Amino acid sequence: MLELQELDTAIDRLEHRRAQLEAGEDLAVARRALEEADSTLGELRLALDAVAVEQRRFENEVDSMEQKAAADEKRMYDGSIANAKELEALQHEIASIKERKGRTEDELLERMERREELEARAAVAENQVAEARAEVEEVGGESLRELEQVEASLAERRASRDALAPELDEELLELYEDLRRQKKGVGAAAIVDGVCQACHEKLSALELDRLKHAEGVKRCEYCRRIVVFT
Ligand SMILES: [Zn+2]
C-alpha cells in the first residue's frame, strides 16, 4: 500500500513538473528577467546620452566665457581704452563673466559626476543583461533535457505502478483512489511512533491498540486515511 502511495506521489509530482516544462514556465521567467534587465540598461543609456549633451553644452559655455574674458582683459591692458568710466565698465564686465563662468563650472562638475555614476550603473546593468541572456539560452536547453528525463521517469514509475496495483485488494484500491481524490493525492500513510504521517496527529494508545488488532482496512481516526503500521 505504502509503496503504491510513494509511486503515486512521485507520478503526481512528475506530471506537475512536465506540465510546467511544457508550458515553458521556466523559460518565460528567464525571458522576463532578460526584458527587465534590458529595459533598465536602456533607461540608463538614455540618461547617459542626456547628461553627455548637457556636459558638452556647459563645456562650450565655459570655453566661450573664457575667450570673452581673455579678450576683455587684453583690451583692458593694451591701452586702447583711455576713458576711466569705460575701463571701469569693462572691469565690471570681466568680473561678471568670471562669476558666471564659476557657476557654469559647478554645473559642469555636477554633470561629470552624474555621468560617472551612470556609467558605473550601466556597466553593472550590462553584466546583468549578459547573465540574463545566458540564462535564457541555458534554460531553453535544460528544459528540453529535463522534459526527456521527466518522461522517462514517468514511464518507469507508471510501469511499476501497473505491476503493483493488481496485488492489492480491489476494494482497498478503490477506497485509496477515493481518498487520494479527496485528500490532496494522499490516500495512505504510515503510522510511525503512533503518529499518522499524513495528518501528523498522534493517535491515542487505545485507538492504536484497537487498530493493531483490527481486521481489514485500518484508518486514521483524525484524517480517515488508510494507515499502515511499519
Ligand atoms: Zn491521519
Side-chain angles (χ1 to χ4, degrees):
M1 187 79 255
L2 289 180
E3 207 181 318
L4 183 69
Q5 177 65 70
E6 259 173 49
L7 281 168
D8 280 337
T9 300
I11 288 168
D12 288 348
R13 205 183 52 233
L14 287 163
E15 280 177 344
H16 179 68
R17 185 67 188 140
R18 184 179 61 181
Q20 279 181 334
L21 288 166
E22 281 174 348
E25 280 176 26
D26 290 6
L27 194 56
V29 167
R31 283 208 180 106
R32 266 201 298 281
L34 175 57
E35 271 168 31
E36 270 169 35
D38 248 338
S39 114
T40 302
L41 180 58
E43 279 165 23
L44 285 168
R45 280 183 176 153
L46 280 178
L48 257 174
D49 286 346
V51 88
V53 167
E54 284 180 351
Q55 184 183 338
R56 271 195 302 279
R57 182 162 64 81
F58 287 123
E59 274 168 355
N60 289 339
E61 279 178 28
V62 167
D63 272 354
S64 67
M65 283 187 255
E66 257 167 17
Q67 281 167 24
K68 179 90 171 72
D72 283 350
E73 269 171 346
K74 189 166 168 277
R75 278 210 299 148
M76 213 163 137
Y77 301 113
D78 68 1
S80 60
I81 302 168
N83 183 302
K85 257 199 170 152
E86 250 180 73
L87 274 174
E88 202 186 321
L90 194 57
Q91 218 165 12
H92 205 75
E93 201 198 312
I94 292 168
S96 144
I97 290 171
K98 284 187 171 164
E99 197 207 333
R100 273 193 290 135
K101 190 180 140 229
R103 280 202 303 269
T104 310
E105 278 169 341
D106 287 346
E107 295 276 3
L108 178 58
L109 197 66
E110 202 183 282
R111 296 312 183 282
M112 286 162 82
E113 282 166 359
R114 173 109 180 100
R115 190 175 179 176
E116 243 173 62
E117 182 215 321
L118 284 168
E119 273 167 355
R121 283 168 60 195
V124 171
E126 266 169 33
N127 277 338
Q128 282 167 344
V129 167
E131 275 168 23
R133 185 162 290 131
E135 178 75 7
V136 166
E137 280 162 20
E138 202 183 314
V139 167
E142 255 173 25
S143 292
L144 273 183
R145 280 193 297 278
E146 196 187 339
L147 190 58
E148 278 169 20
Q149 284 166 2
V150 165
E151 297 275 14
S153 300
L154 261 178
E156 200 181 298
R157 280 173 177 78
R158 281 198 179 122
S160 302
R161 191 196 194 281
D162 288 347
L164 186 64
E167 287 176 23
L168 293 162
D169 177 75
E170 212 169 295
E171 252 174 70
L172 179 66
L173 207 56
E174 227 167 82
L175 173 64
Y176 165 77
E177 294 292 5
D178 268 352
L179 287 166
R180 251 171 61 73
R181 272 191 292 277
Q182 293 164 30
K183 296 175 184 293
K184 292 175 180 157
V186 181
I191 298 270
V192 178
D193 296 330
V195 176
C196 165
Q197 296 302 296
C199 69
H200 304 290
E201 291 286 347
K202 189 167 176 60
L203 279 67
S204 66
L206 201 69
E207 176 66 7
L208 282 170
D209 191 59
R210 194 190 67 75
L211 280 177
K212 272 180 193 159
H213 298 100
E215 294 283 327
V217 183
K218 302 167 203 281
R219 298 176 69 173
C220 171
E221 63 177 317
Y222 297 103
C223 68
R224 304 303 297 151
R225 288 181 177 96
I226 300 162
V227 286
V228 179
F229 288 89
T230 53

